[in-house]
Amino acid sequence: MVKIVFFDVKPYDKKFLEPLVAELKEPVEVSYLDSKLNKDTVELAKDADIISLFVHDKVEKEMFDKLKCTMIACRSAGFDYVDLTECAARKIKVATVPSYSPSSIAEFAVGLSINLARNLKMAFERSKNADLSLTSKLLGFEMKGKTVGVFGTGRIGKLVCEIFRGFKMNVIAFDVYEDKEWAAQNQVEYVKTKDEVYARSDIISLHAPLTQENVHMIDSKAIEKMKNGVLIVNTGRGGLVDTKALIAGIKSKKIGGAALDVYEKENLSFDHDWFSVEEGIMPDEDLSVLLGFPNVLVTAHQAYFTQEALKEIANVTISNIAEYLQKAKEQPDRSFSLKNAPRV
């Protein structure tokens, strides 16, 4: 019997996964674990034929000798937490969920932008303290007529552009793969360089993949080229932003505000309730600094978190597993490819 272990599973995940697992044609033994997979918990996966992972799991090269799995089913579009080179060497098949309700993330990104533009975090905090007065600190700006720069025009980035156009904003975009027909239909202007996005944008929204070229694309040099008071929104990948450079930009007031749904060191701090005594003290000083700024919003990788997205993640994940089980039966040497294998 095939043994499947799902890591980092919350009750809301299990609600969608369990009925679909029951429909698999192959007999399977399934474990749903709240634990995240990493070098300290790898023993929990040692007997699994298939492991299913989420974004806070980590499969590094030194862990593979303790694994017998022949498939890794990622429950995310990203796959940077899996060592694909080692998987290929060991003929371990990897599948992802390339798209799960792009609207969830796009709508969230635009919502964060509105929050920053109208200083809603500060307004909510003042209201909680029964301060219902107006002050110049709450003075915001209209979206209409402003320029938003979007990095990455995949499914999510395109929807973000289209929503921003609904606010009658000027939308510019940068992507190495330009969809000129779509851009013309939606009045989106592709620009040739990142520097042009930095220089022209009132709001910058990040939806690019985390490639070697894109690591810390928002760094001190990029920030120097931006407009004074620029707003930065990241619902893409945490590593796109150099945290220390971001903090410096906020302190100098070059950056007017930032909203982060992803964070380059989120494995250390996200998915924990640091307010609880049991959890102890947050280990990340940079994140503590960001949380203290009145013009910074931090959400814990929440942009995808809708009923529609969870349903789609479960559907595609189990479909990927079913495809693997069928093909592995037909080709035991695992010489086949999977429909949703990572595209690198």
Side-chain angles (χ1 to χ4, degrees), residues 110-183:
V110 175
L112 291 176
S113 303
I114 296 170
N115 270 269
L116 290 177
R118 300 305 300 271
N119 297 305
L120 293 185
K121 176 184 176 181
M122 192 186 305
F124 291 148
E125 291 298 322
R126 290 165 62 89
S127 297
K128 281 170 59 178
N129 294 318
D131 182 352
L132 300 177
S133 64
L134 282 178
T135 170
S136 60
K137 291 181 179 179
L138 298 178
L139 189 64
F141 64 81
E142 291 184 355
M143 312 281 274
K144 180 182 177 182
K146 300 298 187 298
T147 298
V148 59
V150 177
F151 281 105
T153 53
R155 293 181 181 92
I156 297 167
K158 283 178 177 174
L159 282 174
V160 167
C161 292
E162 291 167 17
I163 296 170
F164 277 129
R165 280 295 301 142
F167 286 91
K168 297 184 179 179
M169 297 187 75
N170 303 311
V171 180
I172 61 175
F174 178 86
D175 197 309
V176 292
Y177 303 105
E178 296 183 0
D179 187 341
K180 294 182 179 179
E181 182 179 354
W182 163 83

Side-chain angles (χ1 to χ4, degrees), residues 274-320:
W274 297 106
F275 191 74
S276 300
V277 175
E278 294 83 359
E279 291 286 3
I281 299 172
M282 184 186 295
D284 189 337
E285 292 184 8
D286 288 339
L287 185 56
S288 295
V289 170
L290 286 168
L291 290 170
F293 286 129
N295 55 345
V296 172
L297 293 166
V298 178
T299 51
H301 216 121
Q302 184 185 337
Y304 84 97
F305 195 55
T306 62
Q307 296 181 45
E308 293 84 356
L310 290 180
K311 183 177 180 180
E312 183 66 9
I313 288 169
N315 281 333
V316 177
T317 298
I318 302 308
S319 175
N320 288 340

Side-chain angles (χ1 to χ4, degrees), residues 81-117:
Y81 51 89
V82 178
D83 187 329
L84 294 181
T85 301
E86 194 67 20
C87 285
R90 295 173 183 256
K91 287 191 174 182
I92 297 173
K93 297 299 180 183
V94 180
T96 69
V97 182
S99 174
Y100 43 91
S101 189
S103 294
S104 299
I105 299 171
E107 291 168 8
F108 197 84
V110 175
L112 291 176
S113 303
I114 296 170
N115 270 269
L116 290 177

Side-chain angles (χ1 to χ4, degrees), residues 39-53:
K39 60 185 179 182
D40 297 322
T41 61
V42 68
E43 288 293 323
L44 297 172
K46 66 178 183 180
D47 296 324
D49 301 295
I50 297 172
I51 57 175
S52 179
L53 309 178

